[in-house]
Amino acid sequence: MTQARSREDVINQDTADLHKLGYAQELLRSMGGFSNFAISFSIISILTGAVILYDYGLAWAGTAAVMIGWPLVTVFVLLIAASMSEIASAYPTAGGLYYWASRMKGKNWGWWTAWLNLIGQFAIVAGINYAAAAFLNGTIITPILANLGIDFTNTSTFLGGLLNGQLITMGILMLIELAMNIAGITIVAILNQVSVWWHIVVVAAVVILVFAAGKPDQSGLHLFAIEPLDTAGSWNNNLGVVNLQYGPAVAYPIVLAFFFSLLQANWTYTGYDASAHVAEETIGARVASAWGLFLSVAVSAVVGFIFLFALSTHLPNLSTLFPATVEVPPQATASQYYFGGGVAVIDILVYNLGSTVGNLLSAAIAIAMAFCGLSSVASAGRMLFAFSRDDGLPGASWLKKVSHRYRTPANSLIAMVVVSWLFTVAAFIVGTGTAIVIVTAISTIFLYAAYGVVIYLGATTSEWMKERVWSLGRWSRPVAYVAIFWVIVLMVLFSFPTSGNISWPFMVGTVVLLLVYYFGWARSRFQGPKVMGQEAELTELEREFDQAAKGLGTV
C-alpha cells in the first residue's frame, strides 16, 4: 500500500518542480486545493458578470440570452478550460499562459501571449471593480450618505466631469483590495473561501425566495425566444423596423442580436486562468491548479444557470427599464440600455420580494462583487510579476520585486491597481455610459485571445504532454480545436461596435503599438523565461525569504 505523502513532502515536490522550471520559491506556498479553486470561482463570480450584464442580455435577445446563451457558452468554455487544465498540470508556475507558450513554441510566442493576457488582466480588474462600485453605491453607500445629507451617486460628477461617484468608489475599493493582497496570500485565500460560500448562500437565498414568494412574470417575454428589447438605439434589434428618431438603424438578422447577447455569459466566464497564476502558491500545484481551473467553470455553470433561471422566470414589467423612446447621445452605435440607467437584477429582486428584502439581497450581491475584485487583483498581479521576473516589459526590475515580509509581488500589485483604475477613467471619458461594456468586451477579447494561443500551441506541439498529469487522453486535440473555433467566433462577435463599444479600434490600435514595440525592442532583446540560478542558489534565496516571512500562517 502506498503511504500518503505529508504536506511537507508535497510542498518539497512542488518546490523541486519549480526549480526545474528555473525559478526559486519566492512566493509563499500555502494555498490548498480548495483555495486554488476558490480564486477562479470568485473571479468568474456569477454574481458579477451575469448580474451587471443581465440588462445587456435582455436588450439584445430577451430571455434567450440566458436560457439558450448560457448553456451554449458553457459547453464551449468547459472545453477551453479542459484544454488549459492539461497544460497547467504540465507547467505549474505563476504567469501561467506566458510560460506555457514560451516552453511550447519559443520566447516570441510567449511574449505575445503575455501581452494579450496582461491587457486582458488590466481590463478584467477594471471591469469587475467598476461594476462592484456601481452596486456598492446603489445599494449601500448612496443610501447611507443620503441619510447624512450627502448627495453621492454613481453619476455624481467631480473634477469637471472627469470622475463620477462610481469611479471614486472604485478607487477606494481597489485600495482596500490592494492592501489585503500585499498583506499576504493567506488573507486572500481565506477571503476567497469565504467568497465561495457567500456566492452559494446568496444564490440559494435568491432562488428559494423568488420561487417561494415571487410574483408572476409580467414581462410578456417567452422563455427560449429571441426577443430583443432594445429598439430605441441606433443599432435596431428588430430587422425591418427603421428608427428615424436616431438616424438610420443598422438592420441585421435577429439571430445576430442573440449572438451579441452572449457577451453576458462569456464575460462572466473569464479569469479562471487565476488557478494557474497562483500555482507557485498552491500545494500539489500540478493537480490542484488543473482541477481548480476546470471545476471553477463547471460549478459556476450549474449555480449560475439556476440563479439566472429564477430571475428570468420572474421578470417585472420591463417598460420602465426599456422604454419605447429614450434620450440617446448622438453617437452612431448607441444602445438605449447604456444610457437608460437601469439595473435589471435589482428591479427584479425588489419587484418579487419587496424593497427591504430586495435591497438587502442586492447589497449582498455588491459584497460578492467586492470579493470578485479582490481575487482579480491577486491573479492579475501574479501575471504581471511573472512576466516582469523575466524582464518582459518596461520597469521590470521594480515590478518583479517580492516583499520579503509578506512574500507577495507588492510592486506588481500596486501597478495593476493603478493602471486598471486609470484605464477605467479613460474608458469613462471616451464612452461615458458605455464604460462598462468597453472594459468587459476588451477583457473578454484579449483574455480569450491568450487562451486561444496557448490551446493552439498545445494542439500543434507534443513535448509538453510528457509533463502533464491531468489529461484528456485521445480527446486532447479534438477538444482543443473546438475550443479554438469558439475563441475565434467570440473575438469577432465582441469586436463589433455594439452599444458604443470601442473594442475594435482599441484592439487594432493596441496590436499596432505592440508590433512597433516588438520589432523595435522585444524581438532582439527579450530572452524569454530565465533561470534564476543553480539549485544551491535557489535554495539560498528561498532560505532568506523563509526567515523574513517566519510567523505567517498557512491556508
Side-chain angles (χ1 to χ4, degrees), residues 41 44 100 106 173 188 190 217 233 258 260 290 329 376 429 503 506 527 539:
F41 181 83
I44 291 175
W100 307 345
L173 173 63
V188 174
I190 291 173
D217 187 288
F258 164 73
F260 287 150
S376 70
I429 293 172
S503 56
F506 178 89
Q527 300 302 310
T539 301

Side-chain angles (χ1 to χ4, degrees), residues 245-446:
Q245 183 177 1
Y246 302 112
V250 179
Y252 46 80
I254 199 166
V255 69
L256 189 55
F258 164 73
F259 281 108
F260 287 150
S261 78
L262 298 182
L263 178 62
Q264 177 197 6
N266 230 121
W267 184 62
T268 304
Y269 288 129
T270 49
Y272 46 88
D273 51 324
S275 289
H277 293 312
V278 296
E280 290 184 25
E281 294 153 282
T282 300
I283 299 171
R286 285 183 180 272
V287 175
S289 293
W291 276 115
L293 199 158
F294 182 78
L295 288 178
S296 61
V297 174
V299 174
S300 296
V302 176
V303 177
F305 186 77
I306 293 171
F307 172 73
L308 292 170
F309 179 79
L311 298 180
S312 300
T313 53
H314 293 80
L315 295 172
N317 187 307
L318 298 172
S319 61
T320 56
L321 185 62
F322 299 100
T325 59
V326 68
E327 290 299 322
V328 181
Q331 57 187 86
T333 53
S335 162
Q336 71 175 46
Y337 158 58
Y338 285 101
F339 306 100
V343 180
V345 172
I346 295 178
D347 289 351
I348 296 169
L349 294 176
V350 170
Y351 162 72
N352 283 282
L353 305 173
S355 60
T356 301
V357 176
N359 286 322
L360 281 175
L361 288 173
S362 298
I365 290 174
I367 294 172
M369 291 180 178
F371 278 127
C372 177
L374 175 76
S375 301
S376 70
V377 169
S379 172
R382 269 67 183 178
M383 167 59 214
L384 182 57
F385 157 74
F387 193 32
S388 301
R389 180 170 58 183
D390 293 325
D391 296 324
L393 69 172
S397 59
W398 181 78
L399 289 168
K400 65 184 175 183
K401 290 182 179 178
V402 174
S403 166
H404 278 67
R405 174 67 182 95
Y406 299 111
R407 297 187 72 169
T408 54
N411 292 354
S412 287
L413 290 166
I414 292 170
M416 180 58 64
V417 164
V418 171
V419 174
S420 295
W421 185 77
L422 292 175
F423 176 76
T424 314
V425 172
F428 170 74
I429 293 172
V430 172
T432 313
T434 66
I436 187 63
V437 79
I438 290 172
V439 294
T440 53
I442 288 172
S443 63
T444 304
I445 290 167
F446 279 90

Side-chain angles (χ1 to χ4, degrees), residues 111-112 115-116 119 446 509-519:
W111 188 89
W112 279 99
W115 274 103
L116 291 172
I119 293 167
F446 279 90
T510 300
V511 170
V512 169
L513 290 175
L514 287 176
L515 283 169
V516 172
Y517 181 36
Y518 174 71
F519 285 104

Side-chain angles (χ1 to χ4, degrees), residues 3-4 56 87 103 143 151 155 196 236-237 249 295 316 325 327 353 360 376 399 431 438 480 484 490 497 509 526:
Q3 186 174 1
Y56 186 88
I87 308 172
R103 285 292 297 267
D151 182 17
T155 56
V196 171
N236 194 326
N237 290 336
L295 288 178
T325 59
E327 290 299 322
L353 305 173
L360 281 175
S376 70
L399 289 168
I438 290 172
I484 294 167
L490 67 86
F526 178 60

